[in-house]
Amino acid sequence: MTEGHFEQTLTADDFKEAFRNHPAGVSVVTADPGDGPVGLTATSVFSVSTTPPLLVFSLSGRSSSAPALRRADTVVVHLLGADQIGLAKTFSTSGIDRFADSSIWTRLVTGEPVLPTANAWLRGRIVNQMEAGDSTVVAVQVLQVKIPDAESRPAGQSHPLVYHNRTWHQLSDSSVMP
């Protein structure tokens, strides 16, 4: 064995365990490819470019929503606040109609399903998809952003919802490091 080189058999559980201690922001991705609305909770959303505005997320091949999201031309990515944990749980639950409660969503004039209470939402066009292992990495060019006014947000809505070690958390003013 050479210095700095260490061979080990990596298991899926080892890989997942490493990322359990890496917190991620919580989002819900929605779309309607033409046969009804679909959506899922994602912790893999991140920005990659401001010119043009691009974001990326990944779709697990095990997600029941993945085939429909891969067929969609456009998506809406909702960045959730701590007070929207109910949305995060709904869109991460398998085997239910995630759009059954018509009070939590509506449609944009462009047709996509939107969750208007999200801290922010970004509507965009899918510009690239790449198969990556058992997932698909999706690149989205953002076309529209909606950020509610600070005055119109309920208390706590500006605090992001974070997923860490299989548990929901909120970032708040008390979590700021000096």
Side-chain angles (χ1 to χ4, degrees), residues 41-64:
T41 299
T43 57
S44 60
V45 175
F46 60 95
S47 65
V48 292
S49 171
T50 57
T51 310
L54 296 171
L55 64 83
V56 172
F57 65 91
S58 67
L59 291 171
S60 169
R62 295 182 307 267
S63 169
S64 61

Side-chain angles (χ1 to χ4, degrees), residues 78-174:
H78 306 81
L79 308 179
L80 300 187
D83 64 325
Q84 291 128 22
I85 190 168
L87 291 174
K89 289 179 178 180
T90 295
F91 283 86
S92 66
T93 302
S94 298
I96 65 166
D97 178 358
R98 297 170 179 158
F99 292 90
D101 182 353
S102 61
S103 71
I104 65 168
W105 71 283
T106 187
R107 286 193 186 268
L108 296 173
V109 295
T110 50
E112 299 90 351
V114 65
L115 308 170
T117 62
N119 265 8
W121 56 259
L122 304 94
R123 183 182 70 84
R125 179 175 44 87
I126 295 175
V127 294
N128 203 347
Q129 297 184 44
M130 178 185 81
E131 297 305 312
D134 62 356
S135 296
T136 302
V137 177
V138 180
V140 176
Q141 182 172 356
V142 178
L143 305 171
Q144 181 181 6
V145 173
K146 175 66 174 168
I147 304 167
D149 297 339
E151 297 82 39
S152 65
R153 291 183 186 172
Q157 188 173 11
S158 61
H159 297 154
L161 180 60
V162 176
Y163 197 70
H164 174 256
N165 199 16
R166 296 189 238 178
T167 307
W168 308 99
H169 297 266
Q170 79 172 358
L171 293 181
S172 67
D173 296 340
S174 65

